[in-house]
């Protein structure tokens, strides 16, 4: 069943598990707009807890979980579909992120998604574009996070270019200002490192061009407020303001001595790194002036959630473009999708496949199961799985892509039982979805050249019986042979298939 409209929920919420801060916004969706009711945030500095092996420390995890317990007072009473939680760079990097995510989900009662850098950029732009004046020209948006910095060039509500670089105010603080000393040499190291990161995207940004530059992070806001308090700007960031601030930091020499209007005490430690990154952005992109947007990732997540519930789901547009790019037979995909969803309706209760995401995932899997054919017919299910897992699919979390890739990987021949087991308790349900997808593909093996009958299903925990009209299988020996071969494959995952 489709999700309930977002506006039918009394409240909706977005939680951003950032590398520097965790934030939550609570809002009401009203007439296609978002009205923010509550904002909560805490400087968790999750990225500071990453060691050289990319393992999150227990201490950093506890800081995050303590913060989430406060957020949970708001989210625990909200229904499924009313809350979206996204993790960014620190969780993208952490090898033990599954440990933290499991504990976070137990506290919050909702699923945590880890999103790619470019997906983060898309959501940031969505939040910015809904928070500032709707001007016709192109704009450059930069968001300096704790572990990564996102860049977007967009026009009105559409991003045209999205990039994410591995530089952030927490990670650069750990690297260049760990003991709190601020020297011209250390600052220069941080600035140079940022310029080196920017070299890979400078030409792409300049080639596309923009009229206005907008900043969308706490670091950029703090710099604007500080230069405004000093009488150097009206809240915008300027080249002159950056130069003044840099001289001021060199004079102070230590982060503990930073006591400037506009910089909160909990931001002092990461401020020099953020300033060095922003100066590098200004120089690389030849920016003279940058305004600030209050809206960013969290607001973008809310608007994306609203779009999903109002049938403006970016994921559907993404898959349509993906299918077109890889020349998918859309008629066959539609036949397989319809049959797979029809089968799901008949077995959902018995097999525990009643959640919205079960239906969504099966639908997506049916649409894209043949994308690998554009690479080669031999092992095309593996080619397709690789494309889905490693492509930039707007609107999809990493887990979405991994689960979808696994359905496509398992849609023919051997089912990789161990890979399904990696998803823990959900792995069993994923495998059942895969079985339904395989059924629909075999059912339409003839690819629409023959009318197909209605069938019935009888299921047990480890069995599936498909009942065709009497005499139909005998008259269609190719289909019978397909299902007899399928029964042998399904034995390998301890599932008994019978047809009659």
């Amino acid at each position: 069943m489709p999700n309930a409209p977002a506006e039918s929920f009394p409240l909706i919420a977005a939680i951003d598990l950032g590398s520097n801060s965790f934030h939550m916004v609570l809002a009401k969706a009203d007439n296609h707009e978002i009205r923010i009711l509550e904002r909560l945030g805490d400087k968790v500095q999750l990225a500071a807890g990453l060691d050289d092996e990319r393992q999150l420390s227990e201490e950093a995890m506890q800081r995050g979980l303590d913060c989430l317990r406060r957020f949970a007072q708001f989210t625990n009473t909200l229904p499924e579909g009313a809350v979206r939680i996204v993790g960014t760079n620190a969780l993208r990097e952490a090898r033990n992120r599954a440990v933290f995510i499991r504990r976070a989900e137990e506290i919050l009662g909702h699923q945590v998604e880890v999103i790619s850098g470019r997906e983060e950029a898309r959501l940031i732009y969505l939040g910015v574009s809904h928070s500032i004046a709707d001007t016709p020209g192109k704009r450059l948006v930069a968001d300096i996070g704790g572990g990564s910095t996102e860049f977007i060039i967009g026009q009105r509500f559409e991003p045209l270019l999205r990039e994410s670089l591995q530089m952030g105010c927490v990670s650069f603080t750990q690297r260049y200002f760990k003991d709190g000393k601020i020297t011209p040499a250390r600052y220069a190291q941080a600035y140079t490192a940022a310029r080196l990161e920017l070299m890979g995207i400078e030409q792409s940004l300049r080639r596309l061009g923009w009229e206005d530059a907008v900043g969308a992070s706490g670091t950029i806001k703090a710099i604007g407020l500080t230069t405004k308090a000093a009488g150097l700007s009206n809240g915008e960031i300027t080249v002159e303001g950056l130069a003044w601030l840099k001289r001021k930091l060199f004079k102070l020499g230590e982060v503990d001595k930073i006591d400037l209007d506009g910089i909160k005490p909990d931001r002092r430690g990461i401020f020099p790194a953020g300033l060095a990154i922003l100066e590098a952005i200004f120089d690389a992109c030849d920016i003279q002036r940058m305004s600030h947007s209050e809206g960013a990732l969290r607001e973008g997540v809310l608007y994306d959630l609203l779009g999903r519930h109002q049938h403006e789901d970016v994921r559907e547009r993404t898959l349509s473009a993906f299918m077109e790019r890889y020349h998918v037979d859309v008629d066959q995909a539609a036949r397989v999708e319809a049959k797979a969803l029809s089968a799901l309706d008949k077995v959902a209760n018995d097999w525990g496949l009643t959640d919205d995401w079960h239906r969504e995932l099966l639908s997506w899997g049916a649409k894209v199961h043949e994308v690998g054919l554009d690479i080669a017919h031999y092992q095309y299910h593996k080619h397709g799985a690789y494309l889905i897992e490693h492509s930039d699919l707007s609107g999809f979390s990493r887990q979405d892509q991994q689960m979808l890739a696994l359905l496509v990987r398992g849609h023919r021949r051997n089912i990789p039982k161990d890979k399904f087991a990696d998803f823990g308790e959900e792995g069993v349900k994923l495998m059942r979805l895969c079985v339904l997808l395989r059924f629909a593909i075999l059912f339409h093996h003839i690819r629409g050249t023959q009318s197909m009958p209605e069938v019935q299903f009888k299921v047990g925990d480890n069995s599936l019986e498909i009942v065709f009209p009497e005499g139909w299988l005998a008259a269609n020996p190719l289909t019978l042979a397909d299902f007899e071969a399928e029964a042998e494959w399904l034995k390998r995952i301890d599932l008994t298939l019978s047809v009659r």
Side-chain angles (χ1 to χ4, degrees), residues 436-457:
L436 295 177
L437 178 59
R438 290 168 70 101
F439 155 76
I441 292 165
L442 289 183
F443 192 81
H444 286 295
H445 195 174
I446 308 298
R447 304 184 81 85
T449 60
Q450 174 185 14
S451 62
M452 298 297 289
E454 282 297 313
V455 297
Q456 301 302 317
F457 296 88

Side-chain angles (χ1 to χ4, degrees), residues 444-481:
H444 286 295
H445 195 174
I446 308 298
R447 304 184 81 85
T449 60
Q450 174 185 14
S451 62
M452 298 297 289
E454 282 297 313
V455 297
Q456 301 302 317
F457 296 88
K458 297 178 181 179
V459 299
D461 285 346
N462 298 298
S463 64
L464 171 63
E465 183 180 13
I466 305 170
V467 183
F468 285 79
E470 189 171 351
W472 193 91
L473 283 174
N476 293 272
L478 179 59
T479 301
L480 177 59

Side-chain angles (χ1 to χ4, degrees), residues 149-449:
T149 297
E150 279 64 49
F151 297 86
I152 312 95
I153 293 178
Q155 195 159 15
R156 303 198 68 191
F157 296 98
E158 286 298 318
L160 306 173
L161 178 149
R162 299 168 291 133
E163 296 290 353
S164 179
L165 298 183
Q166 285 294 99
M167 58 183 189
C169 52
V170 175
S171 57
F172 269 37
T173 297
Q174 292 290 102
R175 203 181 306 171
Y176 303 108
F177 304 100
K178 194 166 186 177
D179 62 359
K181 304 292 184 186
I182 309 168
T183 67
R186 291 185 181 194
Y187 186 93
Q189 285 181 313
Y191 170 87
T192 301
R195 284 302 302 267
L196 288 171
E197 284 286 333
L198 282 155
M199 281 178 68
I201 66 168
E202 279 179 43
Q203 291 305 313
S204 299
L205 294 174
R206 286 173 178 266
R207 197 179 301 121
L208 199 53
W210 62 88
E211 282 73 49
D212 300 305
V214 182
S217 65
T219 290
I220 293 172
K221 180 180 181 180
I223 291 170
L225 290 173
T226 304
T227 54
K228 181 181 180 181
L232 298 171
S233 76
N234 61 357
E236 292 184 322
I237 296 93
T238 62
V239 173
E240 296 76 20
L242 291 176
W244 173 81
L245 254 178
K246 183 166 69 170
R247 291 194 300 271
K248 195 80 173 171
L249 291 187
F250 290 166
K251 190 173 181 181
L252 293 170
E254 296 178 19
V255 295
D256 290 342
K257 294 181 180 178
I258 298 174
D259 189 14
L260 300 169
D261 288 343
I263 305 175
K264 296 177 181 178
D266 59 7
R267 187 169 288 280
R268 291 172 186 168
I270 58 173
F271 190 78
L275 184 66
I277 291 170
L278 187 58
E279 186 185 6
I281 293 170
F282 263 60
D283 290 350
C285 299
D286 194 23
I287 298 169
Q288 299 300 310
R289 185 176 298 274
M290 176 180 280
S291 60
H292 177 260
S293 165
E294 287 293 339
L297 177 60
R298 297 174 288 287
E299 291 75 15
V301 169
L302 286 178
Y303 277 103
D304 198 52
L305 185 64
L306 187 63
R308 288 184 180 187
H309 294 311
Q310 292 175 343
H311 309 293
E312 300 164 4
D313 193 338
V314 67
R315 296 172 298 179
E316 295 298 332
R317 293 206 313 268
T318 295
L319 287 190
S320 293
F322 195 67
M323 292 165 70
E324 184 176 350
R325 178 180 179 183
Y326 292 106
H327 308 102
V328 167
D329 180 343
V330 292
D331 292 333
Q332 175 67 359
R335 283 189 289 270
V336 170
E337 180 188 15
K339 181 52 65 176
L341 295 180
S342 170
L344 176 65
D345 289 339
K346 293 174 180 177
V347 306
N349 289 329
D350 290 329
W351 267 4
L353 301 175
T354 55
D355 291 348
D356 291 336
W357 70 267
H358 297 139
R359 190 173 188 83
E360 284 180 337
L361 193 64
L362 185 58
S363 170
W364 298 336
K367 286 175 177 174
V368 299
H369 74 278
E370 289 189 334
V371 293
L373 278 172
D374 209 43
I375 307 299
H377 187 276
Y378 178 67
Q379 295 196 331
Y380 75 84
H381 53 305
K382 294 182 180 178
H383 302 318
Y386 182 88
L387 289 172
I388 291 162
E389 184 168 358
H390 297 285
S391 293
D392 175 25
L393 299 182
S394 294
F396 288 85
S397 69
R398 282 193 167 186
Q399 189 177 36
D400 285 340
Q401 289 187 222
Q402 287 167 351
M403 290 193 297
L404 181 55
L406 188 53
L407 277 195
V408 171
R409 168 67 179 81
H411 88 261
R412 64 192 291 265
R413 303 186 67 79
N414 192 41
I415 297 177
K417 190 175 179 180
D418 57 330
K419 294 186 183 297
F420 282 92
D422 289 342
F423 285 89
E425 294 178 6
E426 299 297 351
V428 174
K429 294 180 180 180
L430 271 177
M431 202 178 299
R432 287 173 173 173
L433 290 175
C434 189
V435 169
L436 295 177
L437 178 59
R438 290 168 70 101
F439 155 76
I441 292 165
L442 289 183
F443 192 81
H444 286 295
H445 195 174
I446 308 298
R447 304 184 81 85
T449 60

